[in-house]
Amino acid sequence: MPAEPLHRAGNPQRSTTSQPPSGSGASAIEVRRSARRRRTVSAYREGDRTIVLIPARMSEAEEQRWVNLMLAKLAAQENKRVIGDAELAERAERLSVQYFDGRARPTSVRWVTNQNTRWGSCTPSEGSIRLSHRLQGMPDYVVDYVLLHELAHLLVPGHGPRFWRLLEAYPRTERARGYLEGVVAADRPPHQPAPAEE
């Protein structure tokens, strides 16, 4: 049976496990070193363990620093509060009152997991608004912009001048659009220029 790629000769991998301080409520920590990993450090939860992946060449002091950093990062991610559909609907109602004099009245506002190419969608005939789960954890002003964008569609279905005039009332429209464009750009590989002809 051939060796697994991570365990081939010339590609050493070392793994150490430590228990968290008693009474801390934290999970066991397993540090996995890999010669294939050059610069990146990552961490994830696996059952009751936290796995931290680091380059093999890292010193013990660097390892400890990165383990602490990654544990803090994971904790921060897990502690981010995700608002539910009811809170999302209340937020949409407040935004409608603040920017559209309460004229945009959705019948439902909810998170969905089946929108991977759009940030939000609206069905004006039904009054329903759906936001992509990918927005969860993004800054509030970005979520507010997407909500306002979809609320505006309840008043103006298309993307004509009247639609964009409605969104001018929101002072962070350009900033939010820039943020979302940056997220999209980060998900795509950069365009490689064609080689120059000699």
Side-chain angles (χ1 to χ4, degrees):
M1 179 159 107
E4 293 181 13
L6 290 178
H7 299 287
R8 285 187 184 133
N11 190 11
Q13 183 180 35
R14 183 168 58 94
S15 179
T16 58
T17 304
S18 62
Q19 294 296 326
S22 61
S24 69
S27 62
I29 301 157
E30 181 177 337
V31 177
R32 295 180 185 167
R33 290 176 172 262
S34 170
R36 295 182 106 181
R37 187 174 284 268
R38 298 283 180 224
R39 289 180 287 196
T40 61
V41 176
S42 61
Y44 61 93
R45 306 280 192 212
E46 188 176 86
D48 62 348
R49 306 172 80 74
T50 300
I51 312 298
V52 181
L53 307 170
I54 64 172
R57 62 174 174 68
M58 197 172 273
S59 71
E60 295 295 323
E62 288 176 307
E63 174 184 317
Q64 190 56 54
R65 184 176 73 82
W66 276 104
V67 165
N68 291 336
L69 183 69
M70 297 310 285
L71 288 175
K73 188 174 180 179
L74 278 175
Q77 288 172 351
E78 291 165 354
N79 289 334
K80 271 188 183 171
R81 194 171 77 83
V82 175
I83 65 170
D85 290 349
E87 291 171 286
L88 195 61
E90 290 170 12
R91 193 167 175 173
E93 185 180 337
R94 283 193 309 272
L95 289 167
S96 176
V97 168
Q98 184 175 356
Y99 293 101
F100 304 144
D101 298 321
R103 292 178 295 135
R105 295 188 183 111
T107 56
S108 70
V109 182
R110 62 190 173 94
W111 296 108
V112 294
T113 58
N114 63 349
Q115 290 190 124
N116 294 316
T117 59
R118 324 171 143 197
W119 297 115
S121 62
C122 174
T123 307
S125 61
E126 297 173 3
S128 62
I129 291 175
R130 295 158 304 281
L131 294 191
S132 171
H133 72 286
R134 295 179 307 139
L135 288 164
Q136 294 173 337
M138 288 190 188
D140 287 346
Y141 74 91
V142 175
V143 177
D144 286 351
Y145 164 73
V146 176
L147 270 173
L148 280 165
H149 185 106
E150 302 310 330
L151 285 165
H153 279 309
L154 293 176
L155 304 174
V156 180
H159 287 104
R162 281 183 55 226
F163 174 84
W164 293 110
R165 275 195 299 275
L166 282 173
L167 285 179
E168 285 174 1
Y170 184 58
R172 293 185 165 187
T173 291
E174 288 307 311
R175 184 176 176 195
R177 290 184 64 175
Y179 183 99
L180 293 171
E181 286 170 9
V183 170
V184 170
D187 286 344
R188 290 186 188 143
H191 175 70
Q192 299 295 321
E197 291 184 32
E198 295 181 18

